[in-house]
Amino acid sequence: MTTFPTERAVRTTPEGLLWEPSARWVRGRRGEVTVVDSRHPVLVWEPGVPVPLYAFPREEVREDLLRPAKNPATGTHTGSRIFYDLELDGELQENAAWTFPASDLAGHIAFEWFGRVGRGLDHWYEEEEEIFIHPRDPHKRVDAIASGRHVRVEIDGTLVADTVRPVLLFETGLPTRFYIPREDVRLELLVPTDHHTGCPYKGTADYWSWRGGAAVPANIVWTYPDPLPAVGAVKDLLAFYNEAVDITVDGEGMERPVTPFTRALAEQTRP
């Protein structure tokens, strides 16, 4: 019989994993089939990975759908050597699940999220709310606050946005993002793209690219047309990557921050 941890405290394993019991009811599905139905999930943070994932007691997993992996994805998760393929309706999802070597997590199975890596379970729910990309971190805040600051945005020396009614989005571990009303943005300098991203805190974003000829990353501007309720104040407002544009706030120029997005933006830069 498994003893489920109840104490709410982050613990560390010798392998460098951080983990914490969660009180949320979590379900994971592949299509219409529920593969995980857990009231005792554990949040796990791997070294060097900024977002958590879930691991679940075996008793709350459909192990009858798991097969020993034909081509184990060793090296993809901290110290893990046991991987499983998910077989469902004749379809095989390779390396959809795995176990961690940490003794603290013995008897638990973790799953990939399709929306994050392109394999694994494709629908996830906390209580009755569907969540996307990865679990939300209980130690992270995301606050969208209306402001009267004067914000100017330039791209390659050209003024693209000028507002005194931004919404500032404060997200733990990231620079402040300045969301600007469309009326205060020179939309003729931007072109919409078919790029979209998902965020478990904010929702699904649409993107624009810069029309100019400078070496500027693609998809440098985004908006949330239907944001999650917690950040509803940013609905239809436009934000720019601080990492790749020049932003002035109340007359003071901001340094371009180095973030997890910096490298990806550099790789997207087009002539």
Side-chain angles (χ1 to χ4, degrees):
M1 178 178 178
T2 300
T3 300
F4 297 114
T6 57
E7 186 178 312
R8 297 305 302 271
V10 177
R11 303 117 188 246
T12 305
T13 75
E15 297 80 8
L17 297 165
L18 300 178
W19 68 277
E20 178 183 55
S22 172
R24 302 186 184 195
W25 175 26
V26 178
R27 282 100 69 217
R29 297 177 182 169
R30 178 71 188 177
E32 297 300 318
V33 177
T34 299
V35 180
V36 174
D37 188 336
S38 178
R39 287 171 170 78
H40 309 89
V42 173
L43 283 163
V44 182
W45 291 261
E46 296 188 77
V49 181
V51 299
L53 49 82
Y54 276 123
F56 308 96
R58 288 180 176 271
E59 299 94 316
E60 299 177 338
V61 171
R62 285 280 307 273
E63 287 194 82
D64 59 301
L65 301 177
L66 300 180
R67 311 285 181 264
K70 293 181 178 179
N71 302 294
T74 54
T76 58
H77 292 285
T78 305
S80 298
R81 297 182 180 86
I82 300 176
F83 287 82
Y84 299 97
D85 297 336
L86 174 66
E87 186 173 2
L88 189 60
D89 296 329
E91 178 188 7
L92 196 69
Q93 283 279 317
E94 290 194 348
N95 296 300
W98 71 96
T99 62
F100 287 111
S103 58
D104 289 3
L105 299 174
H108 289 70
I109 298 177
F111 284 82
E112 298 286 12
W113 290 43
F114 186 88
R116 180 170 174 80
V117 298
R119 67 177 184 276
L121 307 188
D122 51 11
H123 292 283
W124 288 93
Y125 301 85
E126 291 178 345
E127 303 301 330
E128 297 300 329
E129 182 177 337
E130 186 167 9
I131 54 175
F132 306 93
I133 312 301
H134 61 78
R136 288 176 284 204
D137 190 328
H139 303 285
K140 185 172 187 177
R141 285 189 63 97
V142 180
D143 297 305
I145 303 176
S147 174
R149 297 196 191 203
H150 184 192
V151 178
R152 291 167 53 92
V153 180
E154 295 184 6
I155 299 178
D156 192 37
T158 299
L159 181 66
V160 181
D162 191 335
T163 190
V164 291
R165 48 179 186 155
V167 171
L168 275 55
L169 191 133
F170 301 93
E171 184 170 355
T172 304
L174 289 174
T176 303
R177 301 299 190 188
F178 300 91
Y179 283 77
I180 300 173
R182 294 184 183 218
E183 298 84 356
D184 297 339
V185 178
R186 296 179 63 187
L187 291 175
E188 74 276 8
L189 300 177
L190 307 172
V191 57
T193 74
D194 59 2
H195 184 61
H196 303 279
T197 59
C199 171
Y201 306 100
K202 298 185 287 292
T204 300
D206 298 338
Y207 283 78
W208 281 265
S209 287
W210 166 243
R211 284 187 182 274
V216 175
N219 302 306
I220 200 172
V221 185
W222 71 88
T223 187
Y224 289 96
D226 189 21
L228 295 176
V231 293
V234 306
K235 180 178 174 64
D236 292 329
L237 306 186
L238 274 63
F240 296 75
Y241 274 112
N242 312 40
E243 297 89 337
V245 303
D246 295 310
I247 297 179
T248 302
V249 180
D250 292 337
E252 182 178 351
M254 301 183 64
E255 292 186 9
R256 294 187 181 184
V258 177
T259 75
F261 298 103
T262 300
R263 181 175 179 179
L265 288 166
E267 293 173 350
Q268 293 177 25
T269 301
R270 59 179 175 80

